[in-house]
């Protein structure tokens, strides 16, 4: 069947290939950061494909050197400033709805992560059934550095990583390569980028949406990469000892205890990263991952939406705007966090981020109804 | 969406979704439909969880997370989800080693930080939360920690003095010392004053000499003694210059740091048990064991270096009572953990009943969900109401305990005895009902509900046999009655103030409105307690008038004593429910709790005692039963939210509570 490109100017390119649909995020200059338009378009496409018996498989990839670097923060800030917090929250509401749809999708989604995948890019891929990493993959959830917290359902997928690796990745924004993504389970397969065109062609040739068949096809092109000697994944024992601690303060002291006996550049760098991050972000992120560990993906997103509303309303802290200024706008990399210290972010302050937004126009995230589709068991297990 | 319409839709979907029948089977294949997709929460389950957990919710989640994320807690994937539970198929020896490794892991992560070295409400509540969480994972873990922290640690704290605290508590908190608690003997359990272990004082060497004089004096069931404990608190008769000064507590080392048993000590295993095989229960014999003089826990009595007996409490009865303090806190912990096992069982059984179908009402119709059968609702939903009631009562008991004063000791003793007995009995009943409600699947150890019966049976025995505890409750009520009468004063304390008011009257015709009125419910519960107390006092007095001793009279009136004990518990529990409800603002949470409270009250009033003693007419008895079935069907739409609010994380429930078809699929074999 001939492939068709719907529109050259479209930010999401659509190719129809037999029973597969290949969606390409097409904003390469912005490293495929998700605009509100892209999110709406993806939502529309995913909803339509679910109803369409001729679609059995959705492939998602990015044009250029990134899969997707996340949400369009500049646009969020613009809308926040001109239209109030609700306008800013609209980006997240749409995005989280898409995340939930992908997490509970009745058909398999294969994401080809051949490049940078950060923040919202993870939200658009990690919830799907198959995540293919390559030697070009670069994963991170860097939100704590810009006054946010790992959202897009990260409190679901990070909290389910082995041991306390999820706390480590979520609090420090650590960057992982393809081999590490596979080792910890963020990726389901590792395929060298040179083989991606063949893999894509093979997937587009099948007439089945059976996850086992898809898995075996990807398996044919997969390799078992070896972890670099310096890989953080070889430091799981230290990560578990330190990041299992009850509070952010205790995590920091545990890390500091580790370097008392022996100098260790990685641990020192980790301490520095945590000290540079927004104290408020660190505390709400830790709580979010810990609570998310025992919640279904829906309740995780509902909670994250409450949290992000509080962040945008700036009732307790304006770290999000400050982080945007220092990291993305002025790029002085010198944010002035407020509260400035961990001990000033009390438990009651943290509690407030998890409360229902008390405002006449504040409302909880409404998740799309999923009961009319036959959901595969790997989806049922996430509810 | 209209509920009925929604249900029809679900049923239709169920039919449409089914794959076409193969030539071999006439029935369509069943598929698992997660209850989350069909049931709606009419109230905020997080808010409800915060209310019934009551305290340290974040701490609880942290501890759950510590266990779930570690290989030591035996995670297994079933039906696409991770579950943690010990491997009960291991030998008792292996299970004991695993319990110990889990304790070491939790210790290393700081889970017991400040548990023994800090005092006050905050740390005590944190400790309660910890024990409740550990009990949800495994009763052996709870019990082994309990023997070390609240029995050994509690004995040193309550029975020891400053130098004992300084010498032992920090090392115990860090497990440099592993403690156990040697009270029970083969020949004496509940009657601690009858223990036969004998200790004398040798003033020439300045130490005590401890002996097990006969086989019935061997210490029995000592948790931690068989494998791991290095030290124990021994309860023994103290003989000074030929005078028996009664039971006292001594610290005795039983193993060296390398785990070798000390000289003059013999230890044997208690053998395989019906549950708790992860705890190394042991038996201990003492053969002229020398114990340093300062190892006598001397908060109430001491022996001087030259061998004189010194005590601040002259009355031996009161002296003995002071030694029982660690058992009181033990009862609080046990009562609370019993409530959480009921939560686990009900969450599993109700979730299963929301996904399992059986029998069609008409041919070719889909089979009916178990929980849509009124009879199944009647079996499980009242137990959920009872569990909510117990949660509030447990929170009350914990607060009573942590805010204790010398004056409240008596109340704590009575309430903890009553709640420990009632909750643990209720728990066994709930576990059995839930096991049966899960059908054959309830028999699988991995589904937890059935297995918990063996694990938790012991709770009706340890820290005081339930029957004996309930007799003590009745005796205490008798005492309160006599004290009020003798001094011609009003009743005060133990919630007996209602005795000062005119006797409530039950209307001759109980309408639905009356039955759901909290005032009526409280009146009905008070009426029974009041009447039974009057009857008990009258019968005991009659026996005494016939020349029997008070003790004999109590023994003769045991039937009334049992009914009275139950009446006291039910009323005291109900009181805590009313108080919890009163703290809430109007709204969906308060509404559903009001309905649960009515259900709890009515199942108490449905008790046979109301007919036996004539508080209810046969007609009113029937009205009560009818109202119960009505409330059950009203609560049916809330069933999922009610058990989700229990706050037991999915990995700590069982495969049966989730996709049990996938968990049993061929691909998972």
């Amino acid at each position: 069947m001939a492939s068709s490109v719907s529109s050259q100017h479209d930010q999401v390119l659509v190719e129809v290939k037999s029973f597969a649909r290949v969606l390409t995020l097409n904003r390469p200059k912005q490293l495929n950061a998700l605009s509100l338009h892209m999110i709406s378009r993806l939502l529309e496409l995913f909803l339509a494909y679910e109803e369409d018996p001729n679609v059995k498989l959705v492939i998602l990839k990015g044009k250029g050197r990134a899969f997707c670097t996340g949400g369009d923060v500049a646009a969020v800030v613009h809308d926040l400033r001109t239209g109030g917090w609700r306008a800013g929250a609209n980006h997240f509401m749409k995005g989280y709805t898409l995340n939930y749809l992908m997490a509970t999708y009745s058909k398999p989604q294969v994401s080809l992560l051949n490049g940078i995948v950060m923040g919202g890019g993870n939200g658009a891929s990690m919830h799907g059934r198959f995540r293919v990493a390559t030697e070009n993959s670069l994963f991170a959830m860097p939100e704590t550095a810009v006054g946010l917290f790992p959202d897009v359902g990260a409190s679901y997928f990070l909290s389910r990583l082995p041991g306390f690796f999820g706390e480590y990745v979520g609090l420090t924004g650590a960057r992982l390569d393809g081999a590490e993504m596979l080792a910890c389970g963020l990726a389901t397969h590792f395929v060298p980028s040179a083989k991606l065109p063949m893999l894509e062609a093979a997937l587009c040739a099948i007439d089945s949406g059976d996850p086992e068949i898809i898995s075996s096809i990807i398996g044919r092109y997969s390799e078992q990469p070896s972890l670099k000697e310096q890989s953080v994944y070889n430091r799981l024992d230290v990560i578990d000892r330190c990041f299992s601690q009850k509070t952010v303060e205790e995590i920091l002291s545990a890390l500091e205890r580790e370097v008392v006996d022996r100098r260790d550049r990685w641990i020192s760098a980790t301490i520095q990263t945590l000290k540079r991050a927004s104290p408020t972000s660190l505390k709400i992120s830790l709580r979010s991952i810990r609570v998310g560990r025992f919640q279904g993906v829906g309740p995780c997103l509902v909670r994250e939406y409450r949290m992000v509303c509080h962040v945008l309303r700036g009732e307790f802290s304006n770290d999000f705007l400050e982080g945007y200024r220092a990291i993305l706008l002025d790029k002085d990399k010198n944010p002035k966090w407020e509260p400035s210290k961990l001990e000033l972010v009390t438990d009651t302050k943290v509690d407030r981020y998890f409360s229902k937004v008390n405002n006449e126009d504040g409302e909880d995230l409404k998740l799309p109804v999923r009961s009319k589709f036959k959901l595969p068991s790997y989806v049922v297990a996430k509810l | 969406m209209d509920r009925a319409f929604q249900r029809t839709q679900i049923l239709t979907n169920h039919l449409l979704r089914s794959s076409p029948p193969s030539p071999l089977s006439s029935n369509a294949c069943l598929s698992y439909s997660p209850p989350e997709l069909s049931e709606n929460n009419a109230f905020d389950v997080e808010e409800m969880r915060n209310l019934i957990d009551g305290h340290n919710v974040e701490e609880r989640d942290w501890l759950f997370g510590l266990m779930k994320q570690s290989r030591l807690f035996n995670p297994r994937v079933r039906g696409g989800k991770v579950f943690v539970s010990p491997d009960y198929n291991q030998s008792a020896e292996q299970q004991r080693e695993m319990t110990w490794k889990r304790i070491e892991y939790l210790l290393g992560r700081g889970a017991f930080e400040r548990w023994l070295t800090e005092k006050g409400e905050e740390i005590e509540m944190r400790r309660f939360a910890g024990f409740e969480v550990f009990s949800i994972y495994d009763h052996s873990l709870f019990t082994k920690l309990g023997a070390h922290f609240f029995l050994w640690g509690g004995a040193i704290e309550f029975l020891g003095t400053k130098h004992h605290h300084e010498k032992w508590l920090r090392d115990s908190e860090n497990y440099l010392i592993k403690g156990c608690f040697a009270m029970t003997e083969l020949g004496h359990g509940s009657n601690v004053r009858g223990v036969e272990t004998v200790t004398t004082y040798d003033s020439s060497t300045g130490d005590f000499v401890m002996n097990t004089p006969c086989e019935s004096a061997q210490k029995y069931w000592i948790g931690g003694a068989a494998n791991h404990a290095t030290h124990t608190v021994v309860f023994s008769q103290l003989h000074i210059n030929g005078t028996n000064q009664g039971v006292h507590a001594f610290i005795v080392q039983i193993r060296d740091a390398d785990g070798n048993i000390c000289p003059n000590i013999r230890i044997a295993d208690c053998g395989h048990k019906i549950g708790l095989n992860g705890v190394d229960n042991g038996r201990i014999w003492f053969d002229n064991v020398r114990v340093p003089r300062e190892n006598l826990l001397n908060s109430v009595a001491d022996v001087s270096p030259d061998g004189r007996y010194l005590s601040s409490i002259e009355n031996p009865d009161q002296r003995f009572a002071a030694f029982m303090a660690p058992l009181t806190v033990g009862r609080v912990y046990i009562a609370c953990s019993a409530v959480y096992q009921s939560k686990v069982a009900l969450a599993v059984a109700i979730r299963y009943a929301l996904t399992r179908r059986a029998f069609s009402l008409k041919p070719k119709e889909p089979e009916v969900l178990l929980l849509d059968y009124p009879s199944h609702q009647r079996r499980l939903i009242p137990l959920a109401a009872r569990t909510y009631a117990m949660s509030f009562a447990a929170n009350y008991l914990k607060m009573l305990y942590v805010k204790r004063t010398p004056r409240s000791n008596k109340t704590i003793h009575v309430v903890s005895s009553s709640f420990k007995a009632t909750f643990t009995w209720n728990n066994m009943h709930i576990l059995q009902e839930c096991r049966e409600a899960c059908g054959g699947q309830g028999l699988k150890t991995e589904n937890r509900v059935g297995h918990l019966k063996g694990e938790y049976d012991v709770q009706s025995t340890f820290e005081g046999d339930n029957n004996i505890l309930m007799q003590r409750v009745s005796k205490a009520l008798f005492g309160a009655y006599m004290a009020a009468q003798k001094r011609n004063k009003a009743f005060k304390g133990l919630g007996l103030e209602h005795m000062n008011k005119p006797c409530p009257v039950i209307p001759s015709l109980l309408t639905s409105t009356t039955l759901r009125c909290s005032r009526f419910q409280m009146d009905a519960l008070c009426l029974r307690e009041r009447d039974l107390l009057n009857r008990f006092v009258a019968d005991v007095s009659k026996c005494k008038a016939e020349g029997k001793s008070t003790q004999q009279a109590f023994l003769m009136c045991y039937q009334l004593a049992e009914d009275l004990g139950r009446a006291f518990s039910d009323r005291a529990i109900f009181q805590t429910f009313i108080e919890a409800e009163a703290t809430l603002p109007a709204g969906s949470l308060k509404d559903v709790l009001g309905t649960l409270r009515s259900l709890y009250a009515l199942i108490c009033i449905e008790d046979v005692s109301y007919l036996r003693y004539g508080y209810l007419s046969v007609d009113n008895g029937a009205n009560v039963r009818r109202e119960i079935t009505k409330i059950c069907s009203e609560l049916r739409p809330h069933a999922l939210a009610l058990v989700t609010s229990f706050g037991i994380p999915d990995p700590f429930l069982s495969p049966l509570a989730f996709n049990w078809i996938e968990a049993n699929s061929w691909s998972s074999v």
Side-chain angles (χ1 to χ4, degrees), chain A residues 100 159-164 167 212 237 240-241 244-246 250 287 290-291 293-296 303 306 347 351 354 356 370-375 377 380-383, chain B residues 10 13 17 31-32 34 36-38 44 46 58-62 64-70 79-81 105 108-110 113-114 126 649-652 659 662 667:
Chain A
Y100 182 71
S159 63
R160 277 150 180 87
L161 299 184
F164 295 84
E167 273 94 336
E212 296 218 3
D237 54 336
D240 278 357
R241 261 200 310 278
S244 61
Q245 296 293 317
K246 190 160 40 175
E250 285 166 289
R287 170 90 68 97
R290 297 264 164 97
V291 175
R293 183 159 279 142
F294 298 119
Q295 284 180 325
R303 176 179 38 73
R306 283 185 186 183
D347 281 352
D351 287 343
F354 294 79
K356 218 169 174 163
R370 309 295 298 143
S371 50
K372 64 175 180 167
F373 299 100
K374 175 158 172 58
L375 302 179
S377 59
V380 166
K382 291 188 210 172
L383 293 170
Chain B
I10 293 159
N13 284 331
R17 247 190 251 168
S31 68
Y32 175 85
E36 281 79 6
L37 294 184
S38 49
D44 188 327
E46 265 176 65
E58 202 187 342
E59 171 95 10
R60 290 169 198 264
D61 284 346
W62 174 59
F64 280 129
L66 282 185
M67 295 194 279
K68 197 228 143 185
Q69 296 304 97
S70 162
K81 287 178 82 89
Y105 165 81
R109 294 295 189 260
E113 217 172 85
R114 300 183 285 124
R126 195 156 75 78
D650 295 357
F652 294 80
N659 193 344
E662 182 67 18
S667 61

Side-chain angles (χ1 to χ4, degrees), chain B residues 237-305:
Chain B
Q237 305 291 346
L238 173 61
H239 288 215
I240 297 289
N241 299 327
T243 309
N244 184 2
Q245 298 291 356
V247 175
H248 289 70
F250 303 83
I251 293 175
V252 180
Q253 182 163 4
I254 57 173
R255 284 191 179 83
D256 63 22
D258 298 328
N260 306 305
I261 295 171
C262 294
N264 299 0
I265 305 250
R266 285 175 286 149
I267 294 181
D269 205 295
C270 290
H272 195 269
K273 293 158 289 187
I274 63 166
L276 279 181
N277 283 304
V279 178
D280 51 325
N281 290 95
R283 305 182 276 151
I284 313 176
W285 291 257
F286 305 97
D287 308 317
N288 283 315
V289 175
R290 292 272 160 176
V291 181
R293 192 182 64 89
E294 61 272 17
N295 280 17
L296 169 67
L297 293 173
N298 60 346
S299 70
V300 291
D302 208 348
V303 173
S304 66

